[in-house]
């Protein structure tokens, strides 16, 4: 509309992007569950291939969907207190961490029971690197922002790195999933994959949806007019707590 600020017009599209991301994320989790449940016998915790099926479901749920939602909270809850949003951000990451650990234990347990070597594939290397960096990122986020022990100057220096690595880790999570999907298909349906079998098509669709989820989340987080507006009262309290001599307080992520 004429005379409407660009940021106001842009903000009206934010709910659509958020809803779209949630539809994509839920679809990824559901399709992963159907893939492992329908084509590979369901789920168990007994060292069998059914225990392996827990791995892809947990990694998509934890390191992609919940992780992506944790990234989005600063855009969705724009007017809540920053402390509340920080706690929600950390809790979602903690849930993603716990679910991812379950997924990792499942695949290591399956490999041990089946006497399959651990950590030999590119998928496993990329996936483990992503998990380790995610864990480090979570710990640093707790130390720098939720239970801040660092000076304001140090937090101001680290914040851009935290944001950058947050998006990088989402991309790495999606990439690791794509490698895992390809590896699973080649192990199980190599002879029929090129014939557009139902399992192959379903897994390809899952891969595309994972990419779309990552792209939408990345777009929402990097679009400038979707940023959380600064709260002068919160900024003043933060400055008072750390004192002005510590340096400039970082802007909102």
């Amino acid at each position: 509309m004429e005379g409407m600020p660009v940021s106001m017009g842009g903000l009206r599209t934010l709910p659509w992007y958020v809803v779209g991301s949630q539809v994509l994320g839920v679809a990824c989790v559901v399709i992963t569950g159907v893939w492992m449940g329908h084509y590979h016998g369901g789920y168990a915790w007994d060292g069998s291939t059914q225990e392996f099926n827990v791995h892809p479901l947990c990694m998509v749920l934890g390191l992609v969907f919940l992780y992506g939602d944790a990234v989005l909270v600063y855009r969705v809850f724009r007017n809540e207190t920053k402390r509340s949003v920080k706690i929600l951000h950390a809790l979602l990451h903690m849930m993603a961490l716990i679910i991812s650990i379950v997924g990792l234990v499942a695949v290591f347990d399956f490999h041990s029971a089946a006497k399959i070597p651990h950590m030999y594939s590119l998928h496993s290397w990329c996936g483990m690197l992503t998990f380790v960096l995610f864990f480090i990122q979570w710990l640093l986020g707790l130390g720098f922002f939720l239970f801040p022990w660092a000076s304001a100057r140090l937090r101001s220096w680290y914040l851009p790195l935290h944001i950058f690595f947050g998006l990088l880790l989402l991309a790495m999570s999606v990439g690791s999933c794509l490698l895992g999907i390809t590896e699973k298909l080649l192990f199980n349906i190599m002879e029929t994959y090129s014939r557009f079998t139902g399992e192959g098509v379903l897994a390809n669709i899952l891969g595309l949806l994972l990419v779309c989820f990552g792209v939408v989340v990345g777009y929402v987080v990097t679009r400038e007019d979707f940023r959380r507006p600064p709260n002068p009262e919160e900024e003043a309290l933060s400055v008072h707590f750390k004192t002005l001599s510590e340096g400039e307080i970082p802007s909102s992520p």
Side-chain angles (χ1 to χ4, degrees):
M1 295 175 61
E2 188 176 353
M4 178 183 292
V6 174
S7 60
M8 287 291 293
L11 278 177
R12 298 176 71 174
T13 64
L14 175 59
W16 293 102
Y17 286 112
V18 173
V19 170
S21 72
Q22 297 311 288
V23 171
L24 290 168
V26 170
C28 290
V29 175
V30 170
I31 290 176
T32 305
V34 170
W35 181 21
M36 295 298 109
H38 179 70
Y39 289 99
H40 295 282
Y43 304 90
W45 198 269
D46 55 6
S48 66
T49 55
Q50 283 70 43
E51 181 173 352
F52 172 85
N53 294 343
V54 175
H55 170 70
L57 181 61
C58 284
M59 304 320 279
V60 169
L61 175 59
L63 275 186
V64 177
F65 182 47
L66 289 178
Y67 183 91
D69 277 1
V71 171
L72 284 175
V73 295
Y74 283 102
R75 302 299 181 263
V76 175
F77 301 102
R78 297 169 50 79
N79 300 311
E80 306 297 327
T81 63
K82 185 178 285 188
R83 179 73 176 177
S84 299
V85 179
K86 284 181 180 180
I87 292 172
L88 178 60
H89 182 71
L91 286 176
L92 284 172
H93 276 315
M94 185 173 69
M95 291 171 59
L97 177 66
I98 292 171
I99 292 171
S100 300
I101 290 173
V102 173
L104 288 175
V105 171
V107 71
F108 275 98
D109 195 34
F110 164 71
H111 276 221
S112 296
K115 299 188 179 351
I116 299 173
H118 299 293
M119 299 296 300
Y120 66 88
S121 68
L122 179 60
H123 164 63
S124 61
W125 286 24
C126 291
M128 186 57 71
L129 176 63
T130 301
F131 175 79
V132 171
L133 291 177
F134 163 57
F135 183 58
I136 294 172
Q137 168 95 338
W138 183 67
L139 291 178
L140 289 175
L142 291 179
F144 274 89
F145 303 118
L146 190 59
F147 307 110
W149 54 268
S151 68
R153 185 182 301 277
L154 191 57
R155 286 186 285 129
S156 179
W157 168 82
Y158 175 65
L159 180 61
L161 292 176
H162 187 73
I163 296 172
F164 169 76
F165 278 103
L167 288 175
L168 175 64
L169 286 170
L170 179 60
M172 291 176 65
S173 296
V174 171
S176 297
C177 287
L178 297 181
L179 287 172
I181 290 170
T182 303
E183 185 177 288
K184 180 69 173 174
L185 291 174
L186 293 179
F187 281 164
N188 288 272
I189 60 167
M190 181 182 295
E191 299 299 324
T192 59
Y193 188 21
S194 61
R195 301 174 194 166
F196 293 92
T197 59
E199 180 179 357
V201 171
L202 183 69
N204 287 350
I205 291 173
L206 171 60
L208 290 177
L209 290 175
L210 287 166
V211 171
C212 290
F213 176 77
V215 168
V216 172
V217 171
Y219 177 73
V220 171
V221 171
T222 56
R223 182 163 165 174
E224 188 66 26
D225 50 346
F226 289 168
R227 288 174 63 90
R228 176 185 168 90
N231 186 313
E233 183 178 352
E234 289 179 348
E235 297 293 335
L237 288 173
S238 182
V239 170
H240 176 71
F241 180 73
K242 279 292 183 179
T243 77
L244 288 169
S245 62
E246 298 285 355
E248 184 181 355
I249 300 297
S251 61
S252 300

